[in-house]
Amino acid sequence: MTQVVRQNNQLALAEALREFEENGTIFTAEMIVQRTPYTKNSINKYINEKLLDKYVFHDGCRTKYRCEGISALSNDQFLAVMSQSTKATKKTPEQQFHEKLVGRSLDAFTLALEVYNRPSMKNRVEAFAILMVNAWELLLKAEILKVSGYEKVFYDGERSISITDAVKQRIQEKDPVRINLETLIELRDQAIHLLIPELQPQLSRLFQATVLNYQTRYRNEMGNAPLAGQSVGMLSLVVDGPAPEVALIKKHYGKHAAKFVAKFIKRFDETTQELDSTEFSIPIDYRLALVKREDASDLSLSAGEGGEGAIIITKTQDPDKTHPYHQKEALEEINKRQSFASIKSGAFQAVLHKHKISKQKKSDMRYEIDGRPRYSEKFIRWFVENLKQPKWLEAAKEFRRKQLREN
């Protein structure tokens, strides 16, 4: 087996394990065989010799496993774990440079999110644009380095290429990702006119698409998600609000700023309509439906005699506030608030399946968005309170073991 084929097969294994970890799936060697080119014997050998008790752990019996920590490993890090050699391979200067570019890019991305989610900062919109453009520039240059070599990252061997030229090298002209990024670059360059608080509802839709595009791009380059293993609540940036009034902007910031803002809003709306792509701008949607189940709509109407009671009951709520915990954070909170048992992902999933919470797409306990479930404060309190019941956790574990045997 050639080195390239071996590495591709190992990356297929990494992707399967990341999927299991992110979904909280208890898996078997057979389940990995279905997703990779490996035989069952090869999978068992890799698990026992390379991964067991480091990233893969037994769950209830010898043939069932769970993952912890694989999602935080990049492709290169996973390949290093799987390497048959006990000697560390010396990295080339280009590999070291690539690693530094990606690391600095991730630092800029994380800082951009932290700054944006700090309401006390008056210039957080401007700071986000500057840092996010920097994150993209470094990531694209890392891609260029890997694909085209060191020379293509520089104009003359010393002066680094601009973000604009990096974009042209790596992203097709009419790609919504490129148009989104070029708009962000323009915002950074015109910060004095455009990055004002009144524009945040519009800008947040652009920023949200930028963040999701970066996540996808980073994962394609490195294999793992940029914030793997960390709190991702700060990824939600969209802010709802009315369109800014140009007359008020003129009053507060002057006629030149008002002119730029009016021009930007017009072009932003036209581009959003023309592209109709979430890679350029994330829409703010409200769903209105007459349904029997209240949890199937964002707005609820009730019928009454003479129209009485036909009023809006609820509107869309921010899941970052209503359901702030992903599985990792939920486990941390549950373990922090009680000393009855140390809850790990297997037991957590057992409770979800036993009490049918895993089937709830949108409830006051669990909310699933973008394929990733989130949990509410009510769920945390419910879980901790029930742990006080004798054999409550054991009953859930037994239910899950039986369920897996039957499947």
Side-chain angles (χ1 to χ4, degrees):
M1 186 185 294
T2 68
Q3 178 75 3
V4 173
V5 172
R6 181 184 294 110
Q7 288 189 352
N8 286 340
N9 290 346
Q10 289 177 346
L11 292 180
L13 172 61
E15 197 56 36
L17 294 175
R18 286 180 187 127
E19 179 189 333
F20 291 146
E21 181 177 349
E22 288 168 7
N23 294 330
T25 303
I26 306 302
F27 61 92
T28 61
E30 289 85 353
M31 292 168 68
I32 300 178
V33 169
Q34 293 171 8
R35 291 167 168 79
T36 67
Y38 290 116
T39 63
K40 183 179 176 182
N41 285 340
S42 296
I43 293 298
N44 284 330
K45 181 180 178 182
Y46 275 137
I47 289 176
N48 290 325
E49 293 183 4
K50 303 292 182 183
L51 302 171
L52 193 63
D53 295 329
K54 296 177 183 175
Y55 301 100
V56 174
F57 303 87
H58 287 298
D59 191 89
C61 69
R62 190 173 58 84
T63 58
K64 288 187 171 61
Y65 306 95
R66 57 182 171 80
C67 274
E68 287 184 18
I70 291 288
S71 293
L73 297 179
S74 69
N75 284 346
D76 288 344
Q77 289 169 329
F78 184 81
L79 291 175
V81 170
M82 300 298 290
S83 172
Q84 297 297 321
S85 172
T86 55
K87 274 188 179 180
T89 305
K90 188 174 180 180
K91 294 177 181 176
T92 66
E94 286 196 351
Q95 288 174 326
Q96 292 176 11
F97 188 32
H98 178 274
E99 194 173 89
K100 287 180 180 177
L101 286 172
V102 173
R104 286 169 54 204
S105 172
L106 181 56
D107 285 344
F109 174 72
T110 306
L111 187 55
L113 295 175
E114 290 175 353
V115 164
Y116 190 88
N117 283 278
R118 199 180 301 166
S120 60
M121 282 194 67
K122 293 180 180 178
N123 65 336
R124 64 195 181 112
V125 176
E126 179 181 349
F128 174 87
I130 293 169
L131 288 164
M132 201 67 204
V133 168
N134 183 235
W136 269 103
E137 179 176 357
L138 293 165
L139 183 61
L140 292 175
K141 287 178 180 177
E143 291 181 18
I144 294 168
L145 177 70
K146 181 181 280 189
V147 173
S148 306
Y150 189 87
E151 309 77 37
K152 293 294 184 180
V153 183
F154 296 89
Y155 291 124
D156 49 18
E158 294 182 5
R159 193 164 55 95
S160 176
I161 62 174
S162 68
I163 174 66
T164 302
D165 285 342
V167 170
K168 288 176 182 176
Q169 284 195 48
R170 295 303 301 159
I171 311 177
Q172 293 293 321
E173 186 175 359
K174 295 186 179 180
D175 190 329
V177 173
R178 173 167 166 173
I179 298 170
N180 170 280
L181 185 50
E182 288 175 336
T183 306
L184 187 68
I185 294 167
E186 180 191 352
L187 284 168
R188 180 199 64 175
D189 295 343
Q190 296 290 342
I192 191 170
H193 296 303
L194 293 174
L195 295 178
I196 59 178
E198 286 81 356
L199 266 179
Q200 192 176 355
Q202 282 70 33
L203 296 180
S204 69
R205 294 163 53 198
L206 183 86
F207 291 169
Q208 184 71 81
T210 300
V211 166
L212 298 178
N213 294 342
Y214 178 92
Q215 278 192 290
T216 301
R217 197 92 186 182
Y218 183 97
R219 183 155 196 162
N220 290 341
E221 181 68 11
M222 301 301 292
N224 60 316
L227 292 182
Q230 301 179 43
S231 172
V232 294
M234 61 183 178
L235 287 175
S236 180
L237 308 184
V238 174
V239 175
D240 198 1
E245 295 184 26
V246 176
L248 285 177
I249 290 173
K250 183 177 180 181
K251 179 181 177 182
H252 293 145
Y253 301 96
K255 63 180 181 181
H256 293 294
K259 178 183 175 183
F260 274 94
V261 166
K263 184 179 177 182
F264 171 79
I265 292 173
K266 183 174 183 293
R267 194 169 80 254
F268 176 78
D269 290 341
E270 288 173 352
T271 306
T272 299
Q273 232 175 4
E274 180 186 340
L275 294 177
D276 190 24
S277 170
T278 54
E279 290 181 330
F280 174 73
S281 172
I282 299 295
I284 298 174
D285 291 325
Y286 288 90
R287 290 180 297 131
L288 179 62
L290 293 173
V291 293
K292 292 183 179 179
R293 289 179 54 206
E294 184 181 347
D295 64 356
S297 66
D298 293 323
L299 298 177
S300 301
L301 299 181
S302 60
E305 292 183 7
E308 184 179 352
I311 57 172
I312 294 176
I313 307 258
T314 59
K315 69 175 184 178
T316 300
Q317 291 182 300
D318 182 357
D320 279 339
K321 296 178 181 177
T322 60
H323 298 72
Y325 307 105
H326 287 90
Q327 178 173 310
K328 183 175 183 292
E329 291 78 28
L331 282 168
E332 289 173 355
E333 282 299 313
I334 290 167
N335 286 321
K336 188 165 65 177
R337 298 185 193 187
Q338 52 81 33
S339 57
F340 300 105
S342 176
I343 306 300
K344 296 186 178 178
S345 58
F348 185 84
Q349 290 295 321
V351 170
L352 295 183
H353 284 81
K354 163 73 173 171
H355 298 279
K356 299 182 179 179
I357 294 170
S358 59
K359 295 182 179 180
Q360 298 174 12
K361 298 291 184 183
K362 185 179 176 184
S363 72
D364 58 356
M365 301 273 270
R366 182 180 186 272
Y367 189 103
E368 191 170 317
I369 183 170
D370 296 331
R372 291 198 68 194
R374 316 163 66 106
Y375 303 93
S376 66
E377 176 64 26
K378 179 179 178 180
F379 169 79
I380 302 295
R381 291 198 302 267
W382 171 84
F383 199 116
V384 171
E385 190 62 30
N386 277 290
L387 281 174
K388 298 175 184 177
Q389 297 183 42
K391 298 185 179 180
W392 179 80
L393 186 61
E394 282 306 314
K397 289 180 179 178
E398 180 55 38
F399 172 86
R400 183 61 176 152
R401 284 193 285 266
K402 182 179 178 183
Q403 193 178 54
L404 290 170
R405 285 196 298 270
E406 291 173 352
N407 291 338

